[in-house]
Amino acid sequence: SPLNALLQAMESEISAAFDSGEPDDILSRAFKLSVTREDICTLQPLGWLNDRIMNFYMGLLVERSKKEGYPAVYAFNTFFYSKLSSASHKGVKKWTKGVDIFEHDVILVPVHLRTHWTLLVVDLREKTIKYFDSLGQKGDHICKTVLKYLEEESREKRNIELTASEWTLHSMGTEEIPQQNNGSDCGVFVCKFADFISRDKPIIFTPEHMPYFRRKMVWEIIHQQLL
């Protein structure tokens, strides 16, 4: 059938991305990022996703959010949180030059904790800050750090005081979101948490979906288009 032919073509393209050519071949360029074959290979089974893959995928989510019917999404890059936590608002003030983050519905903050990826999500419509960790660890201090950032950003950029008491901060529990069952899928979990949230969809995937998500992400990154 035509669908099978399409799927086979996609599969062979994904396999080729992993298997043929040089590690430093550039397979995709967008969002001021170049993704090499070596980067793409982190999407192989049990690979650890790197900053370039994470940031490129966040770029695809932001791009999609400009279409009709999606919430307006802003994504910080993966270096933002570590810079914020070490240098406070002063250290990241220039990161939002020419951007009013408060004009968006959802802000995604991928967080890199040495060897583990997690996601913080600000919903400006609901005034919530939620922390998503596929290993079930709490991130209450991370939520507080980002709320403090939002207060300072709002004061500085818009001259508006946020009322901290109106905000709800919450680390998602292990019964609320799917959990990884190995030591290497955290980056894929973060990308898919962000994908579902940026469509206002309930998070219904499971660890069993990870091998499929990894291959799908290869195709999406190469084609700069979310399926």
Side-chain angles (χ1 to χ4, degrees):
S1 74
L3 179 63
N4 276 347
L6 175 68
L7 293 173
Q8 272 171 335
M10 289 170 81
E11 273 300 327
S12 56
E13 201 176 352
I14 293 161
S15 299
F18 288 146
D19 300 329
S20 52
E22 298 302 315
D24 52 3
D25 290 344
I26 291 173
L27 301 189
S28 197
R29 266 202 191 95
F31 321 118
K32 299 186 181 138
L33 290 169
S34 301
V35 173
T36 65
R37 190 177 311 280
E38 190 173 9
D39 298 324
I40 285 285
C41 282
T42 66
L43 284 161
Q44 285 177 307
L46 303 184
W48 290 29
L49 271 53
N50 65 14
D51 289 282
R52 221 170 272 154
I53 293 292
M54 301 294 286
N55 287 323
F56 202 97
Y57 194 79
M58 294 294 150
L60 291 173
L61 296 177
V62 168
E63 230 11 73
R64 179 179 67 191
S65 82
K66 295 171 184 170
K67 292 185 189 162
E68 190 73 40
Y70 288 96
V73 175
Y74 185 83
F76 279 106
N77 89 21
T78 53
F79 305 106
F80 170 79
Y81 182 76
S82 54
K83 184 73 176 165
L84 173 66
S85 56
S86 65
S88 73
H89 184 266
K90 286 190 299 297
V92 292
K93 207 161 70 170
K94 293 198 176 79
W95 291 47
T96 50
K97 200 166 177 251
V99 179
D100 181 356
I101 58 172
F102 298 98
E103 284 178 353
H104 298 80
D105 298 316
V106 174
I107 301 171
L108 303 172
V109 186
V111 177
H112 198 209
L113 306 166
R114 290 192 296 285
T115 57
H116 182 49
W117 291 108
T118 63
L119 180 69
L120 183 138
V121 177
V122 179
D123 191 322
L124 289 156
R125 303 164 296 186
E126 308 276 341
K127 295 191 179 170
T128 60
I129 298 178
K130 290 181 182 169
Y131 183 70
F132 294 76
D133 185 339
S134 53
L135 287 178
Q137 294 155 344
K138 298 274 173 242
D140 299 345
H141 63 291
I142 297 177
C143 293
K144 284 182 186 138
T145 303
V146 170
L147 179 58
K148 187 163 186 278
Y149 164 81
L150 291 173
E151 290 180 72
E152 292 175 7
E153 181 78 357
S154 179
R155 192 176 298 138
E156 199 135 307
K157 295 278 170 77
R158 318 186 290 171
N159 216 354
I160 296 175
E161 291 290 333
L162 287 192
T163 312
S165 60
E166 293 176 353
W167 285 73
T168 308
L169 280 50
H170 176 62
S171 291
M172 303 296 278
T174 51
E175 69 297 335
E176 294 179 279
I177 54 170
Q179 300 288 294
Q180 67 192 87
N181 55 9
N182 59 32
S184 51
D185 277 340
C186 55
V188 187
F189 270 84
V190 164
C191 289
K192 296 319 284 185
F193 288 149
D195 169 27
F196 279 65
I197 290 159
S198 63
R199 291 182 285 146
D200 281 336
K201 292 288 183 233
I203 293 167
I204 50 165
F205 59 83
T206 69
E208 285 65 50
H209 289 99
M210 291 299 131
Y212 162 69
F213 283 156
R214 283 174 175 272
R215 294 185 80 78
K216 182 168 171 238
M217 284 173 71
V218 172
W219 192 94
E220 291 173 327
I221 288 170
I222 291 172
H223 288 269
Q224 299 164 24
Q225 177 194 341
L226 294 169
L227 290 166

